[in-house]
Amino acid sequence: ETVRWAGHAWVGPGIGVFHGCAGHQEWHLHQAHQISVGLDSTGLKHRLIAGHVLSIYVDALSEEARALQGAEEVRVIGITPADVAPIIDALKAAQAQGSALRYHLIHTGQHYNRAMSGDFFEQLGIPEPDINLEVGSGTQAEQTSAIMVRYEKALLEQRSDLCLVVGDVTSTMACSIVARKLGVPVAHVEGGIRSGDWTMPEEINRVVTDSITNWFFTTSETANENLRRSGITDDRIFFVGNTMIDTLLRQMPRFHPPVFWDELGLQPGRYFVVTLHRPANVDGEQQLLRLLHAIADGTGGVPVVFPVHPRTAKNLRELEGQIPGMCYVDPQGYLEFNYLVNHAKGVITDSGG
């Protein structure tokens, strides 16, 4: 469950703890960096959101925000563990400082491969979800409807004060719609992102979610401007940065090579990593083969590491044999995959993240 909040907020890079004194009215956030913010208000309250500790000052709040101010329960629904980990860490930090804030973590179960879900939770130190909707695979409509039906049931059984959604996947949109229809406010972390490409399911998810969101936690000034152009006022926009970068910086010292590193003879700076997931690229093995051949031609014989579902790799080999330089490997955990990325000559991807 997530917390309700509104007003003006300032954040530092990463998860921090508030320091300071009310009389001086200056607060600092500490992690890898420090930022100090002068405030001109009394009655400071602090709340966590979006992997950062936010300071929200009370006399700037709208009437709607004042009505929400006592809320203590939040429901967190994330796109991936990497997005959610800083949020959970900051919630725990707030609780350790005496906050009454409580949360429930909901996993929609869309990523049903262990390496794409369970291992990430373990590696990033995220607790087991309070609720797993166990949606699994399916078409866009099948997943959307299953998430909505199951999340509605969960929300009716235990209502939260706020629904916090992250990213731009099917669950982001589906849970936002359910929450708002049941009168639960919505906060969107990574709000305001736009590609302008309506062939992308993610773009539809973003626009629908943002059209019904109460408060937006953004990653860039570009996102802020997108929201302003759509009529969102500044008192609903909080520029907090990117929670995936928080996770990356925190976990970098723990990166380690995958088990196949030596077997494939990989060396730093002498291989590429490729990831492909968008339906237009991977739904249909002939299209995927065309892409892989183009990648192999463009990389000039340098090894290309392609984490892919074992079934897909088997089908590709049966259709085409071994594409020169292409190394199919199983989906990787967060620490192993980012070790590969960190040491690669380059990354070829259709992902925005």
Side-chain angles (χ1 to χ4, degrees):
E1 301 167 28
T2 303
V3 126
R4 300 178 175 190
W5 74 94
H8 298 286
W10 293 264
V11 300
I15 303 164
V17 176
F18 277 106
H19 296 277
C21 61
H24 188 50
Q25 295 178 6
E26 185 173 287
W27 297 76
H28 300 275
L29 296 171
H30 293 275
Q31 193 195 31
H33 304 75
Q34 174 177 308
I35 182 171
S36 63
V37 181
L39 303 180
D40 59 358
S41 170
T42 58
L44 251 180
K45 297 204 171 193
H46 57 276
R47 289 288 186 266
L48 138 284
I49 298 307
H52 305 266
V53 179
L54 306 181
S55 98
I56 300 172
Y57 67 115
V58 175
D59 45 318
L61 300 183
S62 64
E63 289 304 312
E64 178 188 24
R66 290 178 186 277
L68 296 175
Q69 198 170 323
E72 295 184 346
E73 293 188 353
V74 180
R75 195 146 282 178
V76 181
I77 301 154
I79 172 172
T80 69
D83 294 270
V84 170
I87 299 174
I88 300 302
D89 287 343
L91 281 163
K92 290 178 179 177
Q95 290 173 336
Q97 295 297 314
S99 171
L101 175 63
R102 294 179 294 149
Y103 71 92
H104 282 169
L105 179 62
I106 296 182
H107 186 4
T108 57
Q110 289 171 257
H111 286 164
Y112 46 90
N113 182 286
R114 174 74 179 170
M116 295 178 70
S117 180
D119 285 354
F120 274 45
F121 277 80
E122 294 169 9
Q123 291 185 346
L124 301 182
I126 303 172
E128 284 294 314
D130 298 282
I131 300 171
N132 191 328
L133 302 182
E134 298 181 343
V135 170
S137 61
T139 67
Q140 295 280 330
E142 288 169 340
Q143 286 195 325
T144 301
S145 59
I147 292 168
M148 292 182 72
V149 169
R150 296 177 193 187
Y151 179 52
E152 181 184 55
K153 180 180 178 182
L155 204 53
L156 288 171
E157 290 176 352
Q158 187 170 8
R159 183 183 178 88
S160 61
D161 295 304
L162 180 132
C163 170
L164 179 69
V165 295
V166 183
D168 57 11
V169 292
T170 304
S171 60
T172 310
M173 175 186 67
C175 292
S176 298
I177 294 172
V178 170
R180 288 308 307 267
K181 281 181 173 287
L182 292 179
V184 175
V186 170
H188 184 195
V189 179
E190 300 179 17
I193 294 174
R194 299 288 185 272
S195 69
D197 182 356
W198 286 94
T199 68
M200 296 173 59
E202 293 88 346
E203 184 73 353
I204 298 169
N205 296 339
R206 294 165 187 154
V207 172
V208 172
T209 300
D210 284 349
S211 70
I212 58 175
T213 288
N214 297 80
W215 299 288
F216 304 83
F217 289 79
T218 61
T219 60
S220 69
E221 183 58 33
T222 300
N224 298 344
E225 285 300 319
N226 290 336
L227 292 171
R228 292 183 187 114
R229 280 195 295 270
S230 68
I232 304 300
T233 54
D234 281 346
D235 61 342
R236 296 167 59 195
I237 301 172
F238 305 92
F239 179 23
V240 296
N242 193 325
T243 57
M244 285 197 291
I245 301 303
D246 293 338
T247 297
L248 181 69
L249 294 175
R250 181 168 185 170
Q251 298 298 333
M252 280 184 72
R254 300 181 59 222
F255 292 172
H256 59 262
V259 294
F260 55 78
W261 178 267
D262 291 330
E263 178 185 344
L264 295 181
L266 299 177
Q267 298 180 45
R270 297 187 179 182
Y271 64 91
F272 289 91
V273 173
V274 62
T275 73
L276 299 169
H277 79 288
R278 298 199 182 278
N281 293 330
V282 300
D283 285 0
E285 285 159 348
Q286 291 302 323
Q287 167 63 8
L288 181 54
L289 279 172
R290 284 192 293 272
L291 275 174
L292 295 180
H293 275 292
I295 290 169
D297 292 343
T299 51
V302 176
V304 177
V305 180
F306 182 23
V308 63
H309 193 284
R311 182 180 65 253
T312 304
K314 178 176 180 292
N315 292 342
L316 290 172
R317 289 192 187 99
E318 289 176 353
L319 283 168
E320 189 71 13
Q322 185 63 45
I323 298 174
M326 194 65 59
C327 306
Y328 301 126
V329 300
D330 289 346
Q332 298 298 299
Y334 184 87
L335 302 177
E336 295 87 351
F337 178 74
N338 280 291
Y339 182 94
L340 285 171
V341 169
N342 195 37
H343 291 88
K345 181 180 181 69
V347 177
I348 303 163
T349 182
D350 62 2
S351 172

